[in-house]
């Protein structure tokens, strides 16, 4: 990315790396990048055009978002080509999904979720520990943000909730914050408070 921007006499304003699937619509890193591009009136540079989106509606929305973008692997792609590519990419994604489902049905295997029997005490404990680790990691990541919010004078649960939402910081599930969630987050960060 940096080499492409410098080769085209540009300045890299910021960098976001996303590992989400191109078929997903909730892509927080891409949304952050789009927001930064609008703020800086910058061009979004993506590594590969086919990974940008495999959903026609998403690509159309992206094109209407008011941000110009260029793909390093195909910089001469215009709007028409990008829309056509997204149609084919969505079709390809659907075909891959159908083939995968058919193969799994044929082999009678299931991926993830309920497997027809309850978990053992050990697997339940492992799942609970993983969930706790993830919550602790998220709380640790948000610690500096919460400190900044509190230093700015926003100390009540309602004020902190409002600030997190205004700063576009989503909950772990990608939603808006509620007062109760902020209370639990603060307890996790500082249980003695």
């Amino acid at each position: 990315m940096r080499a492409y921007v410098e080769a085209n006499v540009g300045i890299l304003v910021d960098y976001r790396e996303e590992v989400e699937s191109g078929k997903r619509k909730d892509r927080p890193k891409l949304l952050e990048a789009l927001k930064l591009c609008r703020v800086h009136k910058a061009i979004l540079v993506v590594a590969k055009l086919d990974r940008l989106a495999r959903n026609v509606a998403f690509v159309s929305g992206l094109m209407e978002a008011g941000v110009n973008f260029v793909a390093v692997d195909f910089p001469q792609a215009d709007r028409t080509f990008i829309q056509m590519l997204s149609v084919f990419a969505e079709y390809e994604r659907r075909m891959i999904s159908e083939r995968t489902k058919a193969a799994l049905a044929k082999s009678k295997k299931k991926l993830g979720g309920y497997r027809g029997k309850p978990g053992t005490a050990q697997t339940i404990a492992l799942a609970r520990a993983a969930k706790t680790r993830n919550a602790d990691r998220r709380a640790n990541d948000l610690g500096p943000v919460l400190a900044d919010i509190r230093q700015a004078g926003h100390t009540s649960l309602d004020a902190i909730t409002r600030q997190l939402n205004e700063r576009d910081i989503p909950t772990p599930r990608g939603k808006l914050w509620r007062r109760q969630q902020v209370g639990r987050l603060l307890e996790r960060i500082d249980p003695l408070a």
Side-chain angles (χ1 to χ4, degrees):
M1 290 294 183
R2 185 177 307 277
Y4 176 85
V5 171
E6 290 171 358
N8 286 281
V9 193
I11 298 170
L12 187 63
V13 175
D14 208 329
Y15 178 84
R16 295 287 188 270
E17 184 171 335
E18 183 172 65
V19 293
E20 300 294 337
S21 166
K23 75 176 186 177
R24 292 190 55 175
K25 294 177 184 162
D26 58 325
R27 297 172 65 182
K29 293 293 184 184
L30 178 58
L31 294 176
E32 285 177 25
L34 289 171
K35 186 176 180 181
L36 285 167
C37 286
R38 283 192 295 271
V39 167
H40 294 282
K41 297 191 184 303
I43 297 172
L44 176 67
V45 179
V46 295
K48 294 187 72 179
L49 188 56
D50 69 331
R51 300 302 296 163
L52 179 61
R54 293 182 175 182
N55 179 297
V56 177
F58 184 84
V59 170
S60 295
L62 182 62
M63 295 176 110
E64 299 301 320
V67 173
N68 290 326
F69 60 93
V70 64
V72 173
D73 66 333
F74 195 19
Q76 62 274 25
D78 63 5
R79 293 173 67 93
T80 304
F81 182 83
I82 291 168
Q83 286 180 321
M84 287 175 31
L85 182 64
S86 70
V87 169
F88 289 115
E90 183 175 317
Y91 173 75
E92 178 186 27
R93 174 182 55 87
R94 192 170 59 248
M95 296 307 295
I96 290 170
S97 176
E98 289 172 9
R99 286 192 302 267
T100 303
K101 287 177 185 174
L104 289 172
K106 186 176 179 182
S107 68
K108 297 182 181 179
K109 291 184 179 178
K110 291 184 181 179
L111 291 178
Y114 182 66
R115 289 181 172 75
K117 62 180 180 178
T120 65
Q122 182 183 7
T123 59
I124 291 170
L126 288 171
R128 188 174 294 128
K131 188 175 179 181
T132 299
R133 275 193 312 274
N134 288 339
D136 288 342
R137 186 179 313 122
R138 176 76 172 157
N140 188 43
D141 290 344
L142 288 172
V145 174
L146 292 171
D148 182 51
I149 289 171
R150 286 173 159 173
Q151 286 177 354
H154 307 285
T155 56
S156 72
L157 287 180
D158 289 328
I160 295 170
T161 302
R162 199 169 26 260
Q163 284 296 309
L164 287 169
N165 290 330
E166 286 175 6
R167 294 178 185 208
D168 293 324
I169 298 171
T171 65
R173 293 188 180 190
K175 308 289 183 192
L176 292 175
W177 287 93
R178 293 187 322 250
R179 186 178 195 274
Q180 183 179 8
Q181 291 169 303
V182 172
R184 284 195 300 262
L185 174 65
L186 292 174
E187 286 174 6
R188 182 173 293 281
I189 289 173
D190 188 5
L192 301 176

